[in-house]
Amino acid sequence: MAKIIDGKAISLSVKDEVKSGVEELKKQGIEVSLAVILVGNDPASGVYVNNKKKACEYCGIRSLSYELPEDTSEEKLLELIDELNGRDDVNGILVQLPLPSGINEDRVLDAISPLKDVDGFHPVNVGKLSIGKKGFVSCTPAGVIQLLKRSGIEISGKECVVIGRSNIVGKPMAMLLLKENGTVTVCHSRTADLKEVTKRADILVVAIGKPKFVDDSYVKDGAVVIDVGIHRQDNGKLCGDVDYEKVEPVASYITPVPGGVGPMTIAMLMHNCLDSVNINA
């Protein structure tokens, strides 16, 4: 019977720490601000942006919202980013993905100053992570590390397996686990004998975008299982990449979906916004 890692409770403690830090800065006359850019009217993106606004409000961070029409040109978007890069009253810039077709996401993300890249997607920040220098870290993998640490789970010396090699989760996740002295294996669609690899894991992080893909046959008894995936099923309920009902009895710790990794992503975004003040000082 696994212990449930409560992402809601842990994310609240992170946001409370950020709130205290923001209040301290306000006493010094310093305001933390985040500019959020949403292009188009994708419903899911709208929900995410609203959640980020609520988190900013809770933490005392000033939220600047730029909601642009679907037909906004890449040139106009880049002009806005350039303007925000140059503003002293903006600490962090976030462009909500996905962007409408016709806009090059890589070009847009690369245009954000690395000093204001609170999502941690800029190549400069990814490069800093890979060589152990301080910079912004992608929020979801950073949140996973906090879930593990704040649950008292030791990473150092443990066999860690990440399923998925995306630039946003899989690759930075592997680097962060390595930074914590885990022994890390990254699996992907071309991995031979996937179950044989995953069953070695003391800590298994699943981020592949396939609902309920990982069942108990992939998991070693007593493993810590972190489920990064989120999907809406035909019955309207949410599930992850892990078949929770089958895996929970064999794991020692497990994250639920919803209420596991998800809340940590926004909490770590708030944490990065607070950090941005020092980085831009």
Side-chain angles (χ1 to χ4, degrees):
M1 194 76 156
K3 290 182 181 176
I4 311 303
I5 298 176
D6 187 345
K8 286 182 181 176
I10 294 172
S11 70
L12 184 59
S13 67
V14 171
K15 286 190 288 188
D16 283 341
E17 289 165 15
V18 172
K19 189 176 184 179
S20 295
V22 170
E23 285 169 359
E24 284 302 312
L25 287 173
K26 281 184 178 174
K27 289 175 187 173
Q28 301 168 39
I30 300 168
E31 185 167 45
V32 185
S33 63
L34 170 67
V36 180
I37 303 171
L38 174 64
V39 185
N41 48 16
D42 179 73
S45 292
V47 170
Y48 291 137
V49 166
N50 281 333
N51 287 341
K52 286 164 187 171
K53 286 179 186 173
K54 287 177 188 171
C56 282
E57 190 177 348
Y58 181 84
C59 294
I61 293 170
R62 183 172 70 125
S63 176
L64 304 172
S65 183
Y66 297 87
E67 297 181 6
L68 308 179
E70 184 86 20
D71 60 357
T72 298
S73 68
E74 184 177 305
E75 184 185 6
K76 284 287 182 191
L77 179 55
L78 291 173
E79 282 175 9
L80 174 58
I81 290 168
D82 188 51
E83 178 203 325
L84 294 170
N85 281 338
R87 280 176 57 175
D88 291 338
D89 66 327
V90 174
N91 306 103
I93 303 169
L94 182 151
V95 177
Q96 182 64 46
L97 302 179
L99 290 167
S101 59
I103 296 180
N104 185 310
E105 285 188 0
D106 287 341
R107 199 173 295 140
V108 168
L109 295 177
D110 289 358
I112 298 169
S113 165
L115 299 175
K116 298 188 178 187
D117 166 43
V118 286
D119 257 337
F121 294 161
H122 194 283
V124 167
N125 286 317
V126 175
K128 284 181 175 180
L129 173 61
S130 71
I131 59 173
K133 286 193 171 182
K134 184 165 175 56
F136 292 116
V137 178
S138 184
C139 300
T140 299
V144 170
I145 294 295
Q146 289 302 312
L147 285 177
L148 293 169
K149 286 185 169 183
R150 292 172 188 243
S151 299
I153 296 163
E154 183 67 43
I155 302 170
S156 181
K158 296 295 176 67
E159 187 92 30
C160 305
V161 174
V162 180
I163 312 181
R165 54 177 169 180
S166 73
N167 291 334
I168 290 173
V169 180
K171 289 175 186 174
M173 188 76 255
M175 286 190 279
L176 285 173
L177 290 165
L178 192 59
K179 187 180 177 185
E180 297 295 333
N181 300 311
T183 301
V184 184
T185 304
V186 179
C187 297
H188 44 78
S189 57
R190 301 298 174 88
T191 299
D193 302 318
L194 180 61
K195 289 183 182 180
E196 187 181 306
V197 179
T198 60
K199 282 190 83 91
R200 295 200 309 259
D202 301 308
I203 299 171
L204 178 63
V205 182
V206 188
I208 50 171
K210 293 185 178 180
K212 296 189 176 183
F213 180 84
V214 169
D215 61 18
D216 52 327
S217 65
Y218 288 82
V219 180
K220 177 173 80 172
D221 279 356
V224 175
V225 180
I226 306 292
D227 188 354
V228 180
I230 186 159
H231 314 274
R232 191 165 295 281
Q233 302 174 87
D234 293 339
N235 62 9
K237 291 185 177 179
L238 295 173
C239 73
D241 291 346
V242 174
D243 190 328
Y244 184 90
E245 285 74 21
K246 290 182 179 176
V247 172
E248 187 268 337
V250 300
S252 59
Y253 289 83
I254 192 168
T255 56
V257 176
V261 174
M264 292 301 295
T265 300
I266 291 181
M268 296 313 293
L269 173 65
M270 297 299 104
H271 180 272
N272 281 353
C273 288
L274 179 59
D275 265 3
S276 69
V277 174
N278 296 324
I279 286 172
N280 287 297

